[in-house]
Amino acid sequence: MTIKAKIAVLISGAGTNMAALVYASRIADCPYEVVLVASNDPQAEGLALAQAEGIATFALPHKGLTREAHDAAMEAAVLEAGAEYIVLAGYMRILSDGFVVRWAGRMLNIHPSLLPKYKGLDTHARAIAAGDSHGGTSVHVVTPELDAGEVLAQIAVPIVAGDTPDTLAERVKLAEHQLYPRAVADYVSRWRDPVALLERVRNLALAFPETDERESHGSPGFRVGGEKSGKYFAYFADQHHGTPHIACLVRTGGMDELLNLVEAQPEVYFKPAYYGASGWIGIILNRPGVDWDAVAEWLTRSWRGAAPKRLTRLLDVADEF
Ligand code: GAR
């Protein structure tokens, strides 16, 4: 049995998306479970359903509290419930930047438009007024900029003759109820999916100049410097030599640095078999909350170490300023 990801769902109203998430979680093999339903409105209809389903609930009106204080109380409830992800489902509050940043990569939202169209409010009225053929819904990662994080999944929903914002909203919700549980399930599974992890490493590695991908001892490897004299600067290792890790291997400055990092952060780094002996470190990717900016920085450093002078000269000059 695999361990289920724990999610907290934040609502402000009817909570039909929350209900869809809960019922999907009741189907065998769903990779998440709902451990908390929280609201800024104690009267939110969805709270009663969550209670009837035996799910912990928390409600705190935001009136009279600063945004930060209200967010802090919601966050405390989320942490208390042991949630690893926050899933916003019709939570009609703008969150403070600090809260969003602390949950970077672990907070999702569903928005009733085909993003990047119609961020903010009154999405259905705006789609109808613009004469659009379709409205729709998007699931996205939450970032400090409103409704602007990576879009994970969308469904377009036709606008039919005579539609009002309400009739369209109702139809869009039917699509949302299908989309959100699936998108959340996929997202919480992402961190252990070798195909998704390789894709991410590949996108980062091949973004550097003059790089190519070539298999080495059965692993995808990434090289810089052209067909003949290319040098490897990264490998992708999927549970090699009996380790449970899916990892990106990059070159460190040497054995001291490698061993220090492994000792200080064993949940992040390990010394890979064979490669470790020549200063390559493994960055563990199959864990929630990987800092992909840090992975990108490692790849940059490793690429610079392997790239021919003519490619790094400009960067070296820039470093001197
Ligand atoms: C949903 O349609 C959701 O997309 C929207 O509120 C509705 C909540 O319905 N969210 C937003 O507008 C966020 N800006 P529900 O309470 O029945 O799930």
Side-chain angles (χ1 to χ4, degrees), residues 13-18 89-92 109-112 120 137 147 173 176:
T16 65
N17 277 287
M18 176 276 297
Y91 188 60
M92 304 308 276
N109 183 38
I110 190 157
H111 181 76
T137 178
D147 300 331
K173 276 198 190 187
E176 292 190 321

Side-chain angles (χ1 to χ4, degrees), residues 214-284:
R214 183 180 295 187
E215 213 174 83
S216 165
H217 301 284
S219 292
F222 300 94
R223 310 183 326 150
V224 52
E227 195 59 24
K228 283 218 181 72
S229 51
K231 276 175 78 173
Y232 283 98
F233 67 98
Y235 299 95
F236 179 82
D238 182 2
Q239 309 190 33
H240 275 182
H241 307 291
T243 76
H245 309 311
I246 301 176
C248 175
L249 311 190
V250 289
R251 208 190 274 277
T252 62
M255 200 52 68
D256 284 348
E257 187 188 9
L258 191 164
L259 294 176
N260 284 335
L261 285 167
V262 172
E263 189 178 77
Q265 290 172 272
E267 69 290 354
V268 179
Y269 299 109
F270 70 104
K271 183 180 169 201
Y274 307 109
Y275 293 93
S278 35
W280 291 80
I281 197 165
I283 309 167
I284 302 167

